[in-house]
Amino acid sequence: MSRRSDFCLGGPAVAVLAVLAFVTGHAVCDELPNLADRAGGLLAAMNPQQREAGTWTFTDRERFDIHYAPIDLEGVRHGELSDTAKKAGEGLLAAVLSARGHEKTRAIRQLELDIRELESGRSGVEEFRDPERYYWAVFGEPAVDTAWGFRFEGHHLSLNVTATPGQPAATLPLFLGAQPRLVPDGMPSAGVAVLGEEERLVRKLYDSLDESQRAAATLSYKRDRGHMLGQVSTLRDPASVGLPRRDMDDDQRAMLDAFLARFAGLWNAEIEAARLMEIDAAREGLHFAFVARDDPPFSFYVRVAGPGVLIEIDNTAGGDHLHAVWHTPGADFGEDPLAAHLERHHGELARR
């Protein structure tokens, strides 16, 4: 069952509509899926043991956990669900993501078969490198009038969604990864570059910089993700590093904005607009930092950061193993809208 989007009904989403209409050039009055219904359908399709293993209270500290390595994963393994529950899970992902975002998550999961080939002969590789070794966790009772959330997580993927009444869902932090960077011929996902367009955009932007701009943007090279800040659960705004967006020309700003829109466009229309509003609020304070090296080939690191925004992509661990993260520093896991909701409706502040 779906409901009419708040975009068409007015209310708190009106401002979000204005941003989306500006970006896309048209209004959004399509039916948007009810995430609570989708999550409820997933839980209903699980057996009792799976529901017990895959649910926590909304206030449980587990909701703030995130794994950047596929170990100690908590919840219900997607591969152990019935076909009906698997379909319900994919339906929930399709509801919160755009078509492109859903396809990207599928491509990341399918890369496990390629990694399996790369690691052939290692003990337990077929069990460990499995496109269905991703775990569901639901926090609270999915409903339109209460706060709840879910996580879908495994190797190179962590989706963290918090639903608060009257607000587009909070969807950060986000973790995406890719290995190989570009899948070679002869492998199951030959030709796939999960983060290839994102890499192309930042390299094009960096190549466009003049000498003084490049001096401001360029970081010293660090191996093994030495620059990455975001491989944590939460963080505060980092210090400004790199070239300010205000010191770019119009074409360069357009390239940076296209990179940011690429990330925002992973979500459904309502959520995309909310993320674009957050980016827009930080736009004049954004900085672009970049470093690349030919040894190992294709190694690079990029950071785009400003007040309430941190996006990083790192390929310095061997040059063929990308990690990308997106945070809302100081407000990850929906803490800002949740605090506002609790203060408005319950006279209390959200506390972790």
Side-chain angles (χ1 to χ4, degrees), residues 239-265:
S240 297
V241 174
L243 175 68
R245 182 182 181 276
R246 62 179 176 271
D247 292 344
M248 299 178 180
D249 64 31
D250 289 344
D251 289 341
Q252 292 164 342
R253 292 189 192 103
M255 282 185 270
L256 179 60
D257 293 346
F259 172 77
L260 294 165
R262 183 82 184 166
F263 276 86

mmCIF file with all atom_site columns, all heavy atoms in Angstrom, residues 239-265:
data_model
loop_
_atom_site.group_PDB
_atom_site.id
_atom_site.type_symbol
_atom_site.label_atom_id
_atom_site.label_alt_id
_atom_site.label_comp_id
_atom_site.label_asym_id
_atom_site.label_entity_id
_atom_site.label_seq_id
_atom_site.pdbx_PDB_ins_code
_atom_site.Cartn_x
_atom_site.Cartn_y
_atom_site.Cartn_z
_atom_site.occupancy
_atom_site.B_iso_or_equiv
_atom_site.pdbx_formal_charge
_atom_site.auth_seq_id
_atom_site.auth_comp_id
_atom_site.auth_asym_id
_atom_site.auth_atom_id
_atom_site.pdbx_PDB_model_num
ATOM 1   N N   . ALA A 1 239 ? 37.804 20.010 10.128  1.00 0.00 ? 239 ALA A N   1
ATOM 2   C CA  . ALA A 1 239 ? 38.429 21.280 9.763   1.00 0.00 ? 239 ALA A CA  1
ATOM 3   C C   . ALA A 1 239 ? 38.407 21.433 8.241   1.00 0.00 ? 239 ALA A C   1
ATOM 4   O O   . ALA A 1 239 ? 38.479 20.453 7.499   1.00 0.00 ? 239 ALA A O   1
ATOM 5   C CB  . ALA A 1 239 ? 39.862 21.320 10.281  1.00 0.00 ? 239 ALA A CB  1
ATOM 6   N N   . SER A 1 240 ? 38.304 22.682 7.779   1.00 0.00 ? 240 SER A N   1
ATOM 7   C CA  . SER A 1 240 ? 38.254 22.951 6.345   1.00 0.00 ? 240 SER A CA  1
ATOM 8   C C   . SER A 1 240 ? 39.609 22.650 5.709   1.00 0.00 ? 240 SER A C   1
ATOM 9   O O   . SER A 1 240 ? 40.635 23.159 6.148   1.00 0.00 ? 240 SER A O   1
ATOM 10  C CB  . SER A 1 240 ? 37.875 24.407 6.097   1.00 0.00 ? 240 SER A CB  1
ATOM 11  O OG  . SER A 1 240 ? 36.578 24.683 6.587   1.00 0.00 ? 240 SER A OG  1
ATOM 12  N N   . VAL A 1 241 ? 39.577 21.812 4.671   1.00 0.00 ? 241 VAL A N   1
ATOM 13  C CA  . VAL A 1 241 ? 40.793 21.427 3.953   1.00 0.00 ? 241 VAL A CA  1
ATOM 14  C C   . VAL A 1 241 ? 40.497 21.489 2.463   1.00 0.00 ? 241 VAL A C   1
ATOM 15  O O   . VAL A 1 241 ? 39.456 21.010 2.011   1.00 0.00 ? 241 VAL A O   1
ATOM 16  C CB  . VAL A 1 241 ? 41.244 20.001 4.336   1.00 0.00 ? 241 VAL A CB  1
ATOM 17  C CG1 . VAL A 1 241 ? 42.419 19.558 3.470   1.00 0.00 ? 241 VAL A CG1 1
ATOM 18  C CG2 . VAL A 1 241 ? 41.616 19.933 5.802   1.00 0.00 ? 241 VAL A CG2 1
ATOM 19  N N   . GLY A 1 242 ? 41.403 22.097 1.690   1.00 0.00 ? 242 GLY A N   1
ATOM 20  C CA  . GLY A 1 242 ? 41.261 22.069 0.252   1.00 0.00 ? 242 GLY A CA  1
ATOM 21  C C   . GLY A 1 242 ? 40.829 23.402 -0.338  1.00 0.00 ? 242 GLY A C   1
ATOM 22  O O   . GLY A 1 242 ? 40.909 24.459 0.296   1.00 0.00 ? 242 GLY A O   1
ATOM 23  N N   . LEU A 1 243 ? 40.354 23.340 -1.567  1.00 0.00 ? 243 LEU A N   1
ATOM 24  C CA  . LEU A 1 243 ? 39.957 24.521 -2.326  1.00 0.00 ? 243 LEU A CA  1
ATOM 25  C C   . LEU A 1 243 ? 38.510 24.883 -2.018  1.00 0.00 ? 243 LEU A C   1
ATOM 26  O O   . LEU A 1 243 ? 37.612 24.058 -2.211  1.00 0.00 ? 243 LEU A O   1
ATOM 27  C CB  . LEU A 1 243 ? 40.103 24.236 -3.828  1.00 0.00 ? 243 LEU A CB  1
ATOM 28  C CG  . LEU A 1 243 ? 39.613 25.318 -4.792  1.00 0.00 ? 243 LEU A CG  1
ATOM 29  C CD1 . LEU A 1 243 ? 40.502 26.564 -4.701  1.00 0.00 ? 243 LEU A CD1 1
ATOM 30  C CD2 . LEU A 1 243 ? 39.570 24.779 -6.217  1.00 0.00 ? 243 LEU A CD2 1
ATOM 31  N N   . PRO A 1 244 ? 38.241 26.117 -1.559  1.00 0.00 ? 244 PRO A N   1
ATOM 32  C CA  . PRO A 1 244 ? 36.852 26.506 -1.320  1.00 0.00 ? 244 PRO A CA  1
ATOM 33  C C   . PRO A 1 244 ? 36.055 26.542 -2.622  1.00 0.00 ? 244 PRO A C   1
ATOM 34  O O   . PRO A 1 244 ? 36.567 26.952 -3.670  1.00 0.00 ? 244 PRO A O   1
ATOM 35  C CB  . PRO A 1 244 ? 36.973 27.916 -0.720  1.00 0.00 ? 244 PRO A CB  1
ATOM 36  C CG  . PRO A 1 244 ? 38.372 28.007 -0.212  1.00 0.00 ? 244 PRO A CG  1
ATOM 37  C CD  . PRO A 1 244 ? 39.188 27.173 -1.152  1.00 0.00 ? 244 PRO A CD  1
ATOM 38  N N   . ARG A 1 245 ? 34.808 26.142 -2.557  1.00 0.00 ? 245 ARG A N   1
ATOM 39  C CA  . ARG A 1 245 ? 33.941 26.197 -3.736  1.00 0.00 ? 245 ARG A CA  1
ATOM 40  C C   . ARG A 1 245 ? 33.827 27.631 -4.260  1.00 0.00 ? 245 ARG A C   1
ATOM 41  O O   . ARG A 1 245 ? 33.739 27.832 -5.480  1.00 0.00 ? 245 ARG A O   1
ATOM 42  C CB  . ARG A 1 245 ? 32.557 25.649 -3.387  1.00 0.00 ? 245 ARG A CB  1
ATOM 43  C CG  . ARG A 1 245 ? 31.576 25.614 -4.569  1.00 0.00 ? 245 ARG A CG  1
ATOM 44  C CD  . ARG A 1 245 ? 30.216 25.092 -4.125  1.00 0.00 ? 245 ARG A CD  1
ATOM 45  N NE  . ARG A 1 245 ? 29.272 25.042 -5.251  1.00 0.00 ? 245 ARG A NE  1
ATOM 46  C CZ  . ARG A 1 245 ? 28.550 26.061 -5.683  1.00 0.00 ? 245 ARG A CZ  1
ATOM 47  N NH1 . ARG A 1 245 ? 28.657 27.249 -5.067  1.00 0.00 ? 245 ARG A NH1 1
ATOM 48  N NH2 . ARG A 1 245 ? 27.728 25.928 -6.708  1.00 0.00 ? 245 ARG A NH2 1
ATOM 49  N N   . ARG A 1 246 ? 33.855 28.603 -3.379  1.00 0.00 ? 246 ARG A N   1
ATOM 50  C CA  . ARG A 1 246 ? 33.702 29.994 -3.801  1.00 0.00 ? 246 ARG A CA  1
ATOM 51  C C   . ARG A 1 246 ? 34.880 30.457 -4.658  1.00 0.00 ? 246 ARG A C   1
ATOM 52  O O   . ARG A 1 246 ? 34.768 31.465 -5.374  1.00 0.00 ? 246 ARG A O   1
ATOM 53  C CB  . ARG A 1 246 ? 33.567 30.903 -2.577  1.00 0.00 ? 246 ARG A CB  1
ATOM 54  C CG  . ARG A 1 246 ? 34.771 30.915 -1.652  1.00 0.00 ? 246 ARG A CG  1
ATOM 55  C CD  . ARG A 1 246 ? 34.610 31.849 -0.468  1.00 0.00 ? 246 ARG A CD  1
ATOM 56  N NE  . ARG A 1 246 ? 35.730 31.768 0.448   1.00 0.00 ? 246 ARG A NE  1
ATOM 57  C CZ  . ARG A 1 246 ? 35.806 30.919 1.462   1.00 0.00 ? 246 ARG A CZ  1
ATOM 58  N NH1 . ARG A 1 246 ? 34.805 30.079 1.700   1.00 0.00 ? 246 ARG A NH1 1
ATOM 59  N NH2 . ARG A 1 246 ? 36.869 30.896 2.256   1.00 0.00 ? 246 ARG A NH2 1
ATOM 60  N N   . ASP A 1 247 ? 36.009 29.731 -4.600  1.00 0.00 ? 247 ASP A N   1
ATOM 61  C CA  . ASP A 1 247 ? 37.179 30.097 -5.396  1.00 0.00 ? 247 ASP A CA  1
ATOM 62  C C   . ASP A 1 247 ? 37.241 29.338 -6.714  1.00 0.00 ? 247 ASP A C   1
ATOM 63  O O   . ASP A 1 247 ? 38.254 29.382 -7.412  1.00 0.00 ? 247 ASP A O   1
ATOM 64  C CB  . ASP A 1 247 ? 38.461 29.849 -4.598  1.00 0.00 ? 247 ASP A CB  1
ATOM 65  C CG  . ASP A 1 247 ? 38.602 30.800 -3.419  1.00 0.00 ? 247 ASP A CG  1
ATOM 66  O OD1 . ASP A 1 247 ? 37.887 31.825 -3.402  1.00 0.00 ? 247 ASP A OD1 1
ATOM 67  O OD2 . ASP A 1 247 ? 39.397 30.509 -2.506  1.00 0.00 ? 247 ASP A OD2 1
ATOM 68  N N   . MET A 1 248 ? 36.176 28.626 -7.066  1.00 0.00 ? 248 MET A N   1
ATOM 69  C CA  . MET A 1 248 ? 36.084 27.947 -8.354  1.00 0.00 ? 248 MET A CA  1
ATOM 70  C C   . MET A 1 248 ? 35.344 28.837 -9.348  1.00 0.00 ? 248 MET A C   1
ATOM 71  O O   . MET A 1 248 ? 34.576 29.724 -8.953  1.00 0.00 ? 248 MET A O   1
ATOM 72  C CB  . MET A 1 248 ? 35.324 26.625 -8.204  1.00 0.00 ? 248 MET A CB  1
ATOM 73  C CG  . MET A 1 248 ? 35.960 25.623 -7.274  1.00 0.00 ? 248 MET A CG  1
ATOM 74  S SD  . MET A 1 248 ? 34.940 24.123 -7.134  1.00 0.00 ? 248 MET A SD  1
ATOM 75  C CE  . MET A 1 248 ? 35.942 23.157 -5.982  1.00 0.00 ? 248 MET A CE  1
ATOM 76  N N   . ASP A 1 249 ? 35.548 28.562 -10.630 1.00 0.00 ? 249 ASP A N   1
ATOM 77  C CA  . ASP A 1 249 ? 34.743 29.250 -11.630 1.00 0.00 ? 249 ASP A CA  1
ATOM 78  C C   . ASP A 1 249 ? 33.412 28.514 -11.805 1.00 0.00 ? 249 ASP A C   1
ATOM 79  O O   . ASP A 1 249 ? 33.180 27.465 -11.191 1.00 0.00 ? 249 ASP A O   1
ATOM 80  C CB  . ASP A 1 249 ? 35.505 29.395 -12.948 1.00 0.00 ? 249 ASP A CB  1
ATOM 81  C CG  . ASP A 1 249 ? 35.840 28.064 -13.634 1.00 0.00 ? 249 ASP A CG  1
ATOM 82  O OD1 . ASP A 1 249 ? 35.064 27.095 -13.490 1.00 0.00 ? 249 ASP A OD1 1
ATOM 83  O OD2 . ASP A 1 249 ? 36.868 28.011 -14.339 1.00 0.00 ? 249 ASP A OD2 1
ATOM 84  N N   . ASP A 1 250 ? 32.549 29.062 -12.644 1.00 0.00 ? 250 ASP A N   1
ATOM 85  C CA  . ASP A 1 250 ? 31.206 28.507 -12.769 1.00 0.00 ? 250 ASP A CA  1
ATOM 86  C C   . ASP A 1 250 ? 31.226 27.064 -13.271 1.00 0.00 ? 250 ASP A C   1
ATOM 87  O O   . ASP A 1 250 ? 30.461 26.222 -12.789 1.00 0.00 ? 250 ASP A O   1
ATOM 88  C CB  . ASP A 1 250 ? 30.358 29.360 -13.703 1.00 0.00 ? 250 ASP A CB  1
ATOM 89  C CG  . ASP A 1 250 ? 29.979 30.704 -13.103 1.00 0.00 ? 250 ASP A CG  1
ATOM 90  O OD1 . ASP A 1 250 ? 30.105 30.858 -11.867 1.00 0.00 ? 250 ASP A OD1 1
ATOM 91  O OD2 . ASP A 1 250 ? 29.551 31.595 -13.864 1.00 0.00 ? 250 ASP A OD2 1
ATOM 92  N N   . ASP A 1 251 ? 32.073 26.766 -14.234 1.00 0.00 ? 251 ASP A N   1
ATOM 93  C CA  . ASP A 1 251 ? 32.147 25.399 -14.762 1.00 0.00 ? 251 ASP A CA  1
ATOM 94  C C   . ASP A 1 251 ? 32.629 24.433 -13.694 1.00 0.00 ? 251 ASP A C   1
ATOM 95  O O   . ASP A 1 251 ? 32.138 23.292 -13.590 1.00 0.00 ? 251 ASP A O   1
ATOM 96  C CB  . ASP A 1 251 ? 33.076 25.344 -15.972 1.00 0.00 ? 251 ASP A CB  1
ATOM 97  C CG  . ASP A 1 251 ? 32.484 26.023 -17.200 1.00 0.00 ? 251 ASP A CG  1
ATOM 98  O OD1 . ASP A 1 251 ? 31.249 26.220 -17.236 1.00 0.00 ? 251 ASP A OD1 1
ATOM 99  O OD2 . ASP A 1 251 ? 33.256 26.351 -18.118 1.00 0.00 ? 251 ASP A OD2 1
ATOM 100 N N   . GLN A 1 252 ? 33.582 24.858 -12.899 1.00 0.00 ? 252 GLN A N   1
ATOM 101 C CA  . GLN A 1 252 ? 34.105 23.987 -11.834 1.00 0.00 ? 252 GLN A CA  1
ATOM 102 C C   . GLN A 1 252 ? 33.057 23.765 -10.753 1.00 0.00 ? 252 GLN A C   1
ATOM 103 O O   . GLN A 1 252 ? 32.897 22.644 -10.259 1.00 0.00 ? 252 GLN A O   1
ATOM 104 C CB  . GLN A 1 252 ? 35.376 24.609 -11.253 1.00 0.00 ? 252 GLN A CB  1
ATOM 105 C CG  . GLN A 1 252 ? 36.536 24.605 -12.231 1.00 0.00 ? 252 GLN A CG  1
ATOM 106 C CD  . GLN A 1 252 ? 37.658 25.531 -11.827 1.00 0.00 ? 252 GLN A CD  1
ATOM 107 O OE1 . GLN A 1 252 ? 37.476 26.440 -10.988 1.00 0.00 ? 252 GLN A OE1 1
ATOM 108 N NE2 . GLN A 1 252 ? 38.817 25.350 -12.418 1.00 0.00 ? 252 GLN A NE2 1
ATOM 109 N N   . ARG A 1 253 ? 32.329 24.811 -10.404 1.00 0.00 ? 253 ARG A N   1
ATOM 110 C CA  . ARG A 1 253 ? 31.244 24.641 -9.433  1.00 0.00 ? 253 ARG A CA  1
ATOM 111 C C   . ARG A 1 253 ? 30.198 23.661 -9.964  1.00 0.00 ? 253 ARG A C   1
ATOM 112 O O   . ARG A 1 253 ? 29.666 22.846 -9.208  1.00 0.00 ? 253 ARG A O   1
ATOM 113 C CB  . ARG A 1 253 ? 30.594 25.985 -9.118  1.00 0.00 ? 253 ARG A CB  1
ATOM 114 C CG  . ARG A 1 253 ? 31.479 26.953 -8.359  1.00 0.00 ? 253 ARG A CG  1
ATOM 115 C CD  . ARG A 1 253 ? 30.691 28.174 -7.897  1.00 0.00 ? 253 ARG A CD  1
ATOM 116 N NE  . ARG A 1 253 ? 31.584 29.221 -7.416  1.00 0.00 ? 253 ARG A NE  1
ATOM 117 C CZ  . ARG A 1 253 ? 31.894 30.312 -8.103  1.00 0.00 ? 253 ARG A CZ  1
ATOM 118 N NH1 . ARG A 1 253 ? 31.362 30.525 -9.297  1.00 0.00 ? 253 ARG A NH1 1
ATOM 119 N NH2 . ARG A 1 253 ? 32.717 31.210 -7.601  1.00 0.00 ? 253 ARG A NH2 1
ATOM 120 N N   . ALA A 1 254 ? 29.916 23.745 -11.253 1.00 0.00 ? 254 ALA A N   1
ATOM 121 C CA  . ALA A 1 254 ? 28.936 22.826 -11.846 1.00 0.00 ? 254 ALA A CA  1
ATOM 122 C C   . ALA A 1 254 ? 29.418 21.381 -11.755 1.00 0.00 ? 254 ALA A C   1
ATOM 123 O O   . ALA A 1 254 ? 28.614 20.469 -11.508 1.00 0.00 ? 254 ALA A O   1
ATOM 124 C CB  . ALA A 1 254 ? 28.672 23.212 -13.298 1.00 0.00 ? 254 ALA A CB  1
ATOM 125 N N   . MET A 1 255 ? 30.706 21.158 -11.940 1.00 0.00 ? 255 MET A N   1
ATOM 126 C CA  . MET A 1 255 ? 31.248 19.799 -11.821 1.00 0.00 ? 255 MET A CA  1
ATOM 127 C C   . MET A 1 255 ? 31.157 19.299 -10.389 1.00 0.00 ? 255 MET A C   1
ATOM 128 O O   . MET A 1 255 ? 30.789 18.143 -10.132 1.00 0.00 ? 255 MET A O   1
ATOM 129 C CB  . MET A 1 255 ? 32.692 19.765 -12.313 1.00 0.00 ? 255 MET A CB  1
ATOM 130 C CG  . MET A 1 255 ? 32.831 19.757 -13.815 1.00 0.00 ? 255 MET A CG  1
ATOM 131 S SD  . MET A 1 255 ? 34.547 19.585 -14.358 1.00 0.00 ? 255 MET A SD  1
ATOM 132 C CE  . MET A 1 255 ? 35.044 21.305 -14.465 1.00 0.00 ? 255 MET A CE  1
ATOM 133 N N   . LEU A 1 256 ? 31.484 20.173 -9.431  1.00 0.00 ? 256 LEU A N   1
ATOM 134 C CA  . LEU A 1 256 ? 31.376 19.782 -8.031  1.00 0.00 ? 256 LEU A CA  1
ATOM 135 C C   . LEU A 1 256 ? 29.921 19.492 -7.672  1.00 0.00 ? 256 LEU A C   1
ATOM 136 O O   . LEU A 1 256 ? 29.620 18.495 -6.996  1.00 0.00 ? 256 LEU A O   1
ATOM 137 C CB  . LEU A 1 256 ? 31.933 20.888 -7.141  1.00 0.00 ? 256 LEU A CB  1
ATOM 138 C CG  . LEU A 1 256 ? 31.868 20.630 -5.632  1.00 0.00 ? 256 LEU A CG  1
ATOM 139 C CD1 . LEU A 1 256 ? 32.644 19.380 -5.253  1.00 0.00 ? 256 LEU A CD1 1
ATOM 140 C CD2 . LEU A 1 256 ? 32.373 21.832 -4.853  1.00 0.00 ? 256 LEU A CD2 1
ATOM 141 N N   . ASP A 1 257 ? 29.014 20.330 -8.132  1.00 0.00 ? 257 ASP A N   1
ATOM 142 C CA  . ASP A 1 257 ? 27.598 20.122 -7.839  1.00 0.00 ? 257 ASP A CA  1
ATOM 143 C C   . ASP A 1 257 ? 27.094 18.830 -8.476  1.00 0.00 ? 257 ASP A C   1
ATOM 144 O O   . ASP A 1 257 ? 26.246 18.133 -7.898  1.00 0.00 ? 257 ASP A O   1
ATOM 145 C CB  . ASP A 1 257 ? 26.776 21.307 -8.326  1.00 0.00 ? 257 ASP A CB  1
ATOM 146 C CG  . ASP A 1 257 ? 27.066 22.590 -7.543  1.00 0.00 ? 257 ASP A CG  1
ATOM 147 O OD1 . ASP A 1 257 ? 27.692 22.487 -6.466  1.00 0.00 ? 257 ASP A OD1 1
ATOM 148 O OD2 . ASP A 1 257 ? 26.662 23.674 -8.008  1.00 0.00 ? 257 ASP A OD2 1
ATOM 149 N N   . ALA A 1 258 ? 27.592 18.489 -9.659  1.00 0.00 ? 258 ALA A N   1
ATOM 150 C CA  . ALA A 1 258 ? 27.194 17.244 -10.307 1.00 0.00 ? 258 ALA A CA  1
ATOM 151 C C   . ALA A 1 258 ? 27.653 16.040 -9.496  1.00 0.00 ? 258 ALA A C   1
ATOM 152 O O   . ALA A 1 258 ? 26.939 15.037 -9.388  1.00 0.00 ? 258 ALA A O   1
ATOM 153 C CB  . ALA A 1 258 ? 27.752 17.182 -11.722 1.00 0.00 ? 258 ALA A CB  1
ATOM 154 N N   . PHE A 1 259 ? 28.847 16.137 -8.921  1.00 0.00 ? 259 PHE A N   1
ATOM 155 C CA  . PHE A 1 259 ? 29.356 15.070 -8.055  1.00 0.00 ? 259 PHE A CA  1
ATOM 156 C C   . PHE A 1 259 ? 28.452 14.903 -6.836  1.00 0.00 ? 259 PHE A C   1
ATOM 157 O O   . PHE A 1 259 ? 28.066 13.779 -6.476  1.00 0.00 ? 259 PHE A O   1
ATOM 158 C CB  . PHE A 1 259 ? 30.783 15.408 -7.636  1.00 0.00 ? 259 PHE A CB  1
ATOM 159 C CG  . PHE A 1 259 ? 31.367 14.501 -6.586  1.00 0.00 ? 259 PHE A CG  1
ATOM 160 C CD1 . PHE A 1 259 ? 31.820 13.239 -6.921  1.00 0.00 ? 259 PHE A CD1 1
ATOM 161 C CD2 . PHE A 1 259 ? 31.480 14.926 -5.272  1.00 0.00 ? 259 PHE A CD2 1
ATOM 162 C CE1 . PHE A 1 259 ? 32.370 12.399 -5.952  1.00 0.00 ? 259 PHE A CE1 1
ATOM 163 C CE2 . PHE A 1 259 ? 32.030 14.108 -4.304  1.00 0.00 ? 259 PHE A CE2 1
ATOM 164 C CZ  . PHE A 1 259 ? 32.471 12.834 -4.644  1.00 0.00 ? 259 PHE A CZ  1
ATOM 165 N N   . LEU A 1 260 ? 28.085 16.006 -6.212  1.00 0.00 ? 260 LEU A N   1
ATOM 166 C CA  . LEU A 1 260 ? 27.213 15.940 -5.042  1.00 0.00 ? 260 LEU A CA  1
ATOM 167 C C   . LEU A 1 260 ? 25.830 15.415 -5.413  1.00 0.00 ? 260 LEU A C   1
ATOM 168 O O   . LEU A 1 260 ? 25.237 14.603 -4.685  1.00 0.00 ? 260 LEU A O   1
ATOM 169 C CB  . LEU A 1 260 ? 27.106 17.325 -4.419  1.00 0.00 ? 260 LEU A CB  1
ATOM 170 C CG  . LEU A 1 260 ? 28.401 17.871 -3.806  1.00 0.00 ? 260 LEU A CG  1
ATOM 171 C CD1 . LEU A 1 260 ? 28.282 19.369 -3.553  1.00 0.00 ? 260 LEU A CD1 1
ATOM 172 C CD2 . LEU A 1 260 ? 28.760 17.139 -2.530  1.00 0.00 ? 260 LEU A CD2 1
ATOM 173 N N   . ALA A 1 261 ? 25.305 15.864 -6.549  1.00 0.00 ? 261 ALA A N   1
ATOM 174 C CA  . ALA A 1 261 ? 23.999 15.383 -6.989  1.00 0.00 ? 261 ALA A CA  1
ATOM 175 C C   . ALA A 1 261 ? 24.028 13.898 -7.301  1.00 0.00 ? 261 ALA A C   1
ATOM 176 O O   . ALA A 1 261 ? 23.014 13.203 -7.159  1.00 0.00 ? 261 ALA A O   1
ATOM 177 C CB  . ALA A 1 261 ? 23.543 16.168 -8.216  1.00 0.00 ? 261 ALA A CB  1
ATOM 178 N N   . ARG A 1 262 ? 25.171 13.413 -7.724  1.00 0.00 ? 262 ARG A N   1
ATOM 179 C CA  . ARG A 1 262 ? 25.315 11.979 -7.994  1.00 0.00 ? 262 ARG A CA  1
ATOM 180 C C   . ARG A 1 262 ? 25.042 11.174 -6.731  1.00 0.00 ? 262 ARG A C   1
ATOM 181 O O   . ARG A 1 262 ? 24.390 10.125 -6.775  1.00 0.00 ? 262 ARG A O   1
ATOM 182 C CB  . ARG A 1 262 ? 26.735 11.714 -8.503  1.00 0.00 ? 262 ARG A CB  1
ATOM 183 C CG  . ARG A 1 262 ? 27.026 10.296 -8.895  1.00 0.00 ? 262 ARG A CG  1
ATOM 184 C CD  . ARG A 1 262 ? 26.541 9.986  -10.261 1.00 0.00 ? 262 ARG A CD  1
ATOM 185 N NE  . ARG A 1 262 ? 26.757 8.570  -10.577 1.00 0.00 ? 262 ARG A NE  1
ATOM 186 C CZ  . ARG A 1 262 ? 26.197 7.952  -11.592 1.00 0.00 ? 262 ARG A CZ  1
ATOM 187 N NH1 . ARG A 1 262 ? 25.392 8.603  -12.411 1.00 0.00 ? 262 ARG A NH1 1
ATOM 188 N NH2 . ARG A 1 262 ? 26.442 6.680  -11.822 1.00 0.00 ? 262 ARG A NH2 1
ATOM 189 N N   . PHE A 1 263 ? 25.527 11.647 -5.602  1.00 0.00 ? 263 PHE A N   1
ATOM 190 C CA  . PHE A 1 263 ? 25.274 10.962 -4.331  1.00 0.00 ? 263 PHE A CA  1
ATOM 191 C C   . PHE A 1 263 ? 23.825 11.160 -3.888  1.00 0.00 ? 263 PHE A C   1
ATOM 192 O O   . PHE A 1 263 ? 23.161 10.204 -3.477  1.00 0.00 ? 263 PHE A O   1
ATOM 193 C CB  . PHE A 1 263 ? 26.243 11.461 -3.261  1.00 0.00 ? 263 PHE A CB  1
ATOM 194 C CG  . PHE A 1 263 ? 27.574 10.774 -3.286  1.00 0.00 ? 263 PHE A CG  1
ATOM 195 C CD1 . PHE A 1 263 ? 28.590 11.224 -4.113  1.00 0.00 ? 263 PHE A CD1 1
ATOM 196 C CD2 . PHE A 1 263 ? 27.815 9.654  -2.506  1.00 0.00 ? 263 PHE A CD2 1
ATOM 197 C CE1 . PHE A 1 263 ? 29.819 10.584 -4.152  1.00 0.00 ? 263 PHE A CE1 1
ATOM 198 C CE2 . PHE A 1 263 ? 29.039 9.004  -2.538  1.00 0.00 ? 263 PHE A CE2 1
ATOM 199 C CZ  . PHE A 1 263 ? 30.044 9.473  -3.369  1.00 0.00 ? 263 PHE A CZ  1
ATOM 200 N N   . ALA A 1 264 ? 23.330 12.383 -3.957  1.00 0.00 ? 264 ALA A N   1
ATOM 201 C CA  . ALA A 1 264 ? 21.954 12.628 -3.530  1.00 0.00 ? 264 ALA A CA  1
ATOM 202 C C   . ALA A 1 264 ? 20.964 11.804 -4.340  1.00 0.00 ? 264 ALA A C   1
ATOM 203 O O   . ALA A 1 264 ? 19.933 11.351 -3.819  1.00 0.00 ? 264 ALA A O   1
ATOM 204 C CB  . ALA A 1 264 ? 21.626 14.114 -3.656  1.00 0.00 ? 264 ALA A CB  1
ATOM 205 N N   . GLY A 1 265 ? 21.272 11.595 -5.616  1.00 0.00 ? 265 GLY A N   1
ATOM 206 C CA  . GLY A 1 265 ? 20.371 10.866 -6.496  1.00 0.00 ? 265 GLY A CA  1
ATOM 207 C C   . GLY A 1 265 ? 20.321 9.379  -6.254  1.00 0.00 ? 265 GLY A C   1
ATOM 208 O O   . GLY A 1 265 ? 19.609 8.664  -6.972  1.00 0.00 ? 265 GLY A O   1
#
